[in-house]
Amino acid sequence: MKRGPVILAVGLAVVAGLVAVLASGFQHDPRSISSPLLGKAAPDFTLQTLEPDASGTSASVKLSALRGTPVVINFWATWCIPCQQEHSTLLAVSREFDGVAKFYGVVYQDKPEAIDAWLNARGRAYPTLIDVGSQAAIAFGVYGVPETFVIDKKGVIREKFTGGVTFEGVASLLNTLITE
Amino acid sequence: MVPCILVAFALAGDPIAPPAAEQPVAAEQPAAAAPAPTEVAEVPASSNPEPIVGPPAGAPLSGEALKVATQRVASQLRCPVCQGLSVADSPSESAVALKKEVERLVAMGYSDEQCLLYFEASYGEFIRLDPRAEGLNLVVWAGPLGLLAVGMGVIAWMRLGNRPKIASVAPQLPAIDPALQPYVDQVYAAVGKGV
C-alpha cells in the first residue's frame, strides 16, 4: 500500500474534525449561555433599593415576596455600554406593563453615586437594587451585564436574556405570563 | 497548539462582553425627578446553599485551613469574565466576589465538591475549570490521546514501511547459461553446497 494517500487521508480526517468543531462553535452566539436556572425557582435574595422610600431610607426587596406577579430582573452597570442601549427599552416596557409586572434593576459592581447620576441622566421608572458583594449576581449565575431574567408568578425563571433586550421579546413573554 | 486554542475559543465562546456600541445611545426618556440616593447599608444578599447542596459535609473552617481550602476550591472555578483564568488567579471584581463566596461556603463547612456543585447550579458546568470526564466531555479528554495514538501509529507504520526488505537487497545472480550448468554443479559439489 502506498503511504502518501494514507497519510493524506489521515491528515485530512484530522483537519476535517477540527474544522467541524470550529464550525459548530461559530454557529451559536457566544454571548448566549443557557442558564441552568431556566425552569427552576429563582434564587431568593433580599436587596436594598437605591432610592429612598417615603420615610427617607432605602427599602428592602425580597424576591420571594413578589410571587403572584411576573418579575423582570435586569442586571446592569453604569460602565456597560449595551446597558445604556437597552435602558430606554426597559423603561418603555416597564411603563407598558405598569401594575401587572414588576421590574427591578440590580446594579452589578458599581457605586451608588455613579448609579444615581447615570439614572438622573437617562431616566428611571422602576426601583434600583444594590447588590453588595455581587451575591445576587452569583446566585443567578451572571456572567456579564446586561443580563435579564424573567420570572413568572410562581417564582420560576422562564427566560434569560443575555445582552440588550428588545421590547417585543420581553413584552410577548410578559403577555404570556400575565395570562397564566 | 494554535488549533487547540481555536477549538477552546470555539467551544467556550466569549461570555464576557456583549458587543460594544459605537456610540452611547442618548436617553429617549426625559430624566425623572430623582430622589436623592440613600446610604446603602452593607447588607449582602443572603444566599443559602443548603437547598441546593444540602447541609455542610464537614466542620466549619477558619484560619490557615480556611485560606488553603478557599484557594483550592477557587483554583477549580473559572473566572466568569476572563479567558481561561481561575477565580484564584484572576484579580477581576467578579473573581474576587466569587472567591469571597467560596470562602463563606468553606467557612461554613461545605466540601470542595459541594462548593463546585453550588456554583454549577447557577452558572452551569462552564464554571468548572476542568469539565467532568463524562459524556461528550470525554471527547475533550480522550481526543488528544486519540490523536497521539494515531500519530504514533502513522510514524510506526512509516518506519516499518521504510525498513529495507531482505529479498530486495539480496544479490541478484545472473541467469546461468544452461550449457554451463553442469560445470556450475561440479563447482558447488566441490565446495560442498548444493544449488
Side-chain angles (χ1 to χ4, degrees), chain A residues 3 22 25 30-31 33 36 48 50 52 58 81 84-85 91 95 108-109 116 120 122 124 132 135 138-139 141-143 145, chain B residues 6 10 14-15 18-19 21 24-25 29 31 34 36-38 41-42 45 81 93-94 101 104 121-124 126 157 162:
Chain A
R3 292 194 306 269
L22 288 169
R31 291 169 293 144
I33 297 176
Q48 290 187 285
L50 175 76
S58 64
I81 300 298
Q84 294 180 17
Q85 292 179 303
L91 291 179
R95 286 172 177 139
Y108 180 78
Q109 297 171 4
D116 200 53
N120 283 345
R122 294 171 177 81
R124 58 180 92 203
V132 177
Q135 285 204 349
I138 291 172
V142 172
Y143 276 96
V145 284
Chain B
L6 290 174
D14 178 7
V25 175
Q29 306 291 335
T38 56
E42 293 291 310
V81 297
E93 280 191 55
S94 294
E101 185 70 353
R104 188 178 74 89
S122 53
Y123 284 94
F126 186 77
W157 179 65
N162 284 333

Side-chain angles (χ1 to χ4, degrees), chain A residues 1-3 6-7 10 14 18 21-22 25 28 30-31 33 35-37 44-52 56-58 81-82 84-85 88 91 95 108-109 112 116 120-124 130-146 163, chain B residues 3 6-7 10-32 34-47 80-81 93-94 97-98 101 104 118-124 126-127 147 150 154 157-158 161-162:
Chain A
M1 182 187 289
K2 290 185 177 179
R3 292 194 306 269
V6 175
I7 294 172
V10 171
V14 170
L18 286 173
V21 171
L22 288 169
H28 75 274
R31 291 169 293 144
I33 297 176
S35 172
L37 295 172
D44 196 15
F45 62 66
T46 302
L47 296 175
Q48 290 187 285
T49 58
L50 175 76
E51 298 85 1
T57 58
S58 64
I81 300 298
Q84 294 180 17
Q85 292 179 303
S88 57
L91 291 179
R95 286 172 177 139
Y108 180 78
Q109 297 171 4
D116 200 53
N120 283 345
R122 294 171 177 81
R124 58 180 92 203
I130 306 298
D131 185 15
V132 177
S134 299
Q135 285 204 349
I138 291 172
F140 274 78
V142 172
Y143 276 96
V145 284
Chain B
L6 290 174
V7 169
L11 286 173
D14 178 7
I16 309 156
E22 295 290 329
Q23 294 291 331
V25 175
E28 294 177 4
Q29 306 291 335
T38 56
E39 287 295 321
V40 178
E42 293 291 310
V43 181
S46 56
S47 53
V81 297
E93 280 191 55
S94 294
L98 275 167
E101 185 70 353
R104 188 178 74 89
Y118 173 69
F119 291 107
E120 193 176 348
S122 53
Y123 284 94
F126 186 77
I127 201 69
L147 284 176
V150 169
V154 169
W157 179 65
M158 287 176 68
N162 284 333

Side-chain angles (χ1 to χ4, degrees), chain B residues 12-96:
Chain B
D14 178 7
I16 309 156
E22 295 290 329
Q23 294 291 331
V25 175
E28 294 177 4
Q29 306 291 335
T38 56
E39 287 295 321
V40 178
E42 293 291 310
V43 181
S46 56
S47 53
N48 180 15
E50 193 157 333
I52 301 169
V53 294
L61 296 181
S62 62
E64 189 62 23
L66 172 61
K67 192 176 174 183
V68 170
T70 300
Q71 185 71 11
R72 188 176 61 242
V73 175
S75 66
Q76 298 173 68
L77 287 171
R78 183 191 305 276
C79 163
V81 297
C82 316
Q83 292 286 1
L85 273 182
S86 74
V87 163
D89 294 332
S90 170
S92 72
E93 280 191 55
S94 294
V96 170

Side-chain angles (χ1 to χ4, degrees), chain A residues 51-178:
Chain A
E51 298 85 1
D53 60 12
S55 66
T57 58
S58 64
S60 287
V61 173
K62 185 173 176 61
L63 183 61
S64 59
L66 303 174
R67 287 186 184 162
T69 307
V71 179
V72 177
I73 303 289
N74 171 242
F75 287 89
W76 68 281
T78 61
W79 41 263
C80 156
I81 300 298
C83 300
Q84 294 180 17
Q85 292 179 303
E86 73 166 0
H87 186 65
S88 57
T89 302
L90 283 168
L91 291 179
V93 74
S94 67
R95 286 172 177 139
E96 179 77 16
F97 288 89
D98 187 28
V100 290
K102 292 186 183 298
F103 283 69
Y104 291 94
V106 178
V107 187
Y108 180 78
Q109 297 171 4
D110 219 322
K111 292 181 169 60
E113 304 78 29
I115 301 161
D116 200 53
W118 194 96
L119 289 171
N120 283 345
R122 294 171 177 81
R124 58 180 92 203
Y126 47 85
T128 304
L129 308 176
I130 306 298
D131 185 15
V132 177
S134 299
Q135 285 204 349
I138 291 172
F140 274 78
V142 172
Y143 276 96
V145 284
E147 284 188 12
T148 303
F149 294 81
V150 181
I151 302 166
D152 68 15
K153 294 177 181 176
K154 294 177 181 173
V156 174
I157 296 178
R158 298 289 291 271
E159 189 59 272
K160 171 193 170 187
F161 296 96
T162 303
V165 298
T166 63
F167 186 97
E168 295 76 19
V170 179
S172 65
L173 181 55
L174 285 177
N175 278 324
T176 302
L177 298 185
I178 287 164

